[in-house]
Amino acid sequence: MTELQRLRAEHAPALLAFECANRAYFAQSVPDRGDAYFAEFDTRHGELLAGQAAGRDHLHLIVGGDGEVLGRINLIDVEDGSAELGFRVAKEAAGRGLATSAVRQVLVLAADTYGLRTLRAAATADNTGSRTVLLRTGFLPVGETVLDGRPAIRYERDLTAVRQQPAGA
């Protein structure tokens, strides 16, 4: 059983293990975080929590039944009712619908809890998995861009129609 959890200080060891175990896998489709990210992880984790406490970011983990981190779903650069969505799922968990499910949960949080009206996202043209998740969760392509020197597609999602489903619905 997996659970979406808001990032907390005690997640640091499991999050670092997730990032280390999946570094090469992630580098195939998104820019590598670089050696400094891993060497200074504790400092970076503290900065992320500070940004979240200040309301600049809303950071979430997909956590498995044993407490292992299986993915990240983040809303960053919150401003004027908008934010940038980013996500990544562990290689071992890919293709099981975890990203789609977690993004759908974050859409509800974004609209109902965080008061956001619009989300932006981008995925490289060759990142079929992420592009599929974005389309399945209602994001629409709005243009092209470049990520880390690679062609990419920009997406947007209007959140005005997103609302929490009543229990039993």
Side-chain angles (χ1 to χ4, degrees):
M1 182 61 125
T2 62
E3 178 183 14
L4 188 70
Q5 297 181 8
R6 191 159 167 93
L7 184 67
R8 301 185 306 266
E10 59 268 19
H11 286 129
L15 181 56
L16 178 57
F18 162 81
E19 291 289 353
C20 288
N22 291 283
R23 184 176 182 180
Y25 172 66
F26 293 147
Q28 295 171 13
S29 57
V30 295
D32 184 65
R33 294 190 184 278
D35 292 338
Y37 173 85
F38 297 94
E40 301 164 12
F41 183 82
D42 290 339
T43 300
R44 177 70 179 131
H45 192 68
E47 291 168 352
L48 291 174
L49 292 170
Q52 181 166 261
R56 291 187 305 267
D57 305 308
H58 300 291
L59 312 169
H60 309 85
L61 301 178
I62 304 168
V63 179
D66 294 329
E68 74 279 16
V69 174
L70 299 173
R72 300 179 79 158
I73 311 288
N74 297 325
L75 301 173
I76 62 167
D77 300 332
V78 174
E79 187 175 358
D80 296 328
S82 182
E84 180 87 15
L85 171 78
F87 59 92
R88 54 178 57 197
V89 173
K91 182 178 182 178
E92 69 181 61
R96 299 188 338 212
L98 288 178
T100 299
S101 175
V103 168
R104 285 183 177 139
Q105 290 176 61
V106 167
L107 292 176
V108 172
L109 286 170
D112 290 351
T113 303
Y114 308 140
L116 300 176
R117 296 180 308 277
T118 307
L119 294 182
R120 302 172 312 279
T124 56
D126 62 350
N127 189 342
T128 305
S130 290
R131 290 185 12 255
T132 299
V133 168
L134 292 169
L135 292 172
R136 283 183 180 161
T137 57
F139 281 80
L140 299 174
V142 295
E144 297 177 358
T145 191
V146 175
L147 294 176
D148 199 36
R150 296 162 57 188
I153 302 167
R154 291 182 300 114
Y155 295 84
E156 285 188 6
R157 175 64 157 88
D158 181 353
L159 299 176
T160 56
V162 173
R163 292 290 171 250
Q164 177 116 20
Q165 295 294 321

